[in-house]
């Protein structure tokens, strides 16, 4: 007789695979860019940009993180982690060689096919740059995207993340760093091409600098920032169907079983961010229009 539990894909998706912490670099205040190694590249399905995994730290628990770099031929992948609470504090105490666990990849990534030949503006805030990192590398490598810009907002210089990556990306795309607190003179800010305020404060200046008009907007960061940016671009004439965002919810199972990530403000019934997100098109998150 067949065992229905063992035939259930969700059962396998709940079982972590052992991974090794290879090394890490400090990358922004209280943030580290980690490298991990899978037993083999085939140990998990190939992740798409924007998908996430559950990282388990023995004795502390599990938490979701995004692949900034997906597994290579040696099974090595990367994730940027900001220290927040129990799991991440325990992770920051780990050393190269320590064994941790991974489940995934989970969720829906960025709509890579729909992005072909689009004029893409990405707006990220703080740690929200992590879910865009893999996508940026893929878009740059595919050479299809001549119109690519990133506006990256952080509170101050110390909190800017993915610093080596941003240095590399600025050779390939239009990069605008925006700081709420520049902590420097106007001359030094201009010299370093840093804009002041929030990404939205800087948007008029960004759009004036670009010699093209974005037809696609990708958002990742604090929800208040994403909501304001989406509404702002709709007012500028962008269609709601051209705006995508990645959202965060507390997660436990990551496979649609526990209900912790239920999107209660959503007009669709039974919607779980772990399965149906974390990437959404803006209009799919809005209440239906009243007739
Ligand atoms: C799909 C997804 C992808 C993510 N990718 C990354 C990533 O690439 N890098 C990264 O650093 N973080 C990422 N996060 C956030 C990360 O999962 C949380 O910071 C993590 O759960 C913290 O775990 P902890 O046990 O250390 O802290 P906890 O003890 O769980 O929390 C510490 C504090 O943060 C708050 N908090 C934690 N998680 C959330 C959340 N999801 N929403 C709102 N408040 C929260 C808690 O209320 C508490 O105040 C992602 C989250 C999701 C849902
Ligand atoms: S985290 Fe359990 S249903 Fe989404």
């Amino acid at each position: 007789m067949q065992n229905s539990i063992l035939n259930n894909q969700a059962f396998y998706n709940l079982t972590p695979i052992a991974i090794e912490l290879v090394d890490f670099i400090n990358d922004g205040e209280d943030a580290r860019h980690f490298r991990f190694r899978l037993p083999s590249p085939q140990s998990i399905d190939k992740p798409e940009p924007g998908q996430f995994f559950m990282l388990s730290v023995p004795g502390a628990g599990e938490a979701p993180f995004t692949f900034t770099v997906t597994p290579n031929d040696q099974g090595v992948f990367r994730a940027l982690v900001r220290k927040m609470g129990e799991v991440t504090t325990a992770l920051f105490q780990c050393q190269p060689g320590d064994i941790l666990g991974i489940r995934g990849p989970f969720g829906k990534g960025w709509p890579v096919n729909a992005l072909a030949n689009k004029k893409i503006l990405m707006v990220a805030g703080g740690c929200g740059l992590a879910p865009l990192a893999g996508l940026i590398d893929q878009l740059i490598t595919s050479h299809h995207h001549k119109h690519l810009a990133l506006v990256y907002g952080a509170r101050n210089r110390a909190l800017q993340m993915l610093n080596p990556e941003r240095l590399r990306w600025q050779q390939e795309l239009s990069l605008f760093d925006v700081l709420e607190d520049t902590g420097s003179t106007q001359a030094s800010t201009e010299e370093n091409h840093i804009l002041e305020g929030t990404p939205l404060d800087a948007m008029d200046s960004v759009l004036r600098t670009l010699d093209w008009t974005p037809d696609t907007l990708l958002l990742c960061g604090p929800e208040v920032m994403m909501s304001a940016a989406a509404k702002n671009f709709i007012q500028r004439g962008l269609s709601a169907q051209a705006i995508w965002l990645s959202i965060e919810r507390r997660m436990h199972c990551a496979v649609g079983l526990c209900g912790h990530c239920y999107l209660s403000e959503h007009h669709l019934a039974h919607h779980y961010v772990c399965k149906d997100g974390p990437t959404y098109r803006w209009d799919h998150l809005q209440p239906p229009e009243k007739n």
Side-chain angles (χ1 to χ4, degrees), residues 86-165:
E86 201 173 340
V87 173
T88 47
T89 301
L91 173 64
F92 275 47
Q93 286 161 1
C94 292
Q95 296 303 319
D98 284 353
I99 301 299
L100 310 171
I102 181 182
R103 298 190 287 122
F106 296 124
K108 294 198 168 69
W110 298 104
V112 177
N113 292 338
L115 298 179
N117 302 317
K118 295 291 184 193
K119 296 176 179 166
I120 303 168
L121 176 66
M122 293 168 281
V123 181
C127 217
L129 192 51
L132 282 166
L135 178 72
I136 294 172
D137 276 328
Q138 184 160 325
L139 294 176
I140 288 173
T141 315
S142 70
H143 296 299
H144 292 314
H145 291 87
K146 293 188 176 46
H147 301 102
L148 202 55
L150 168 66
V151 180
Y152 175 53
R155 271 209 304 285
N156 55 47
R157 276 173 203 274
L159 288 169
Q160 288 180 305
M161 295 175 178
L162 291 172
N163 290 297
E165 284 72 17

Side-chain angles (χ1 to χ4, degrees), residues 50 52 62-68 79-89 127 130-131 246-251 273 278:
F52 71 95
E62 280 190 313
F65 300 99
T66 318
F67 297 89
T68 50
L80 180 86
V81 178
R82 172 178 273 176
K83 192 167 18 155
M84 295 292 288
E86 201 173 340
V87 173
T88 47
T89 301
C127 217
S246 180
I247 64 173
E248 284 190 10
R249 286 293 178 276
R250 303 287 289 184
M251 286 183 188
V273 176

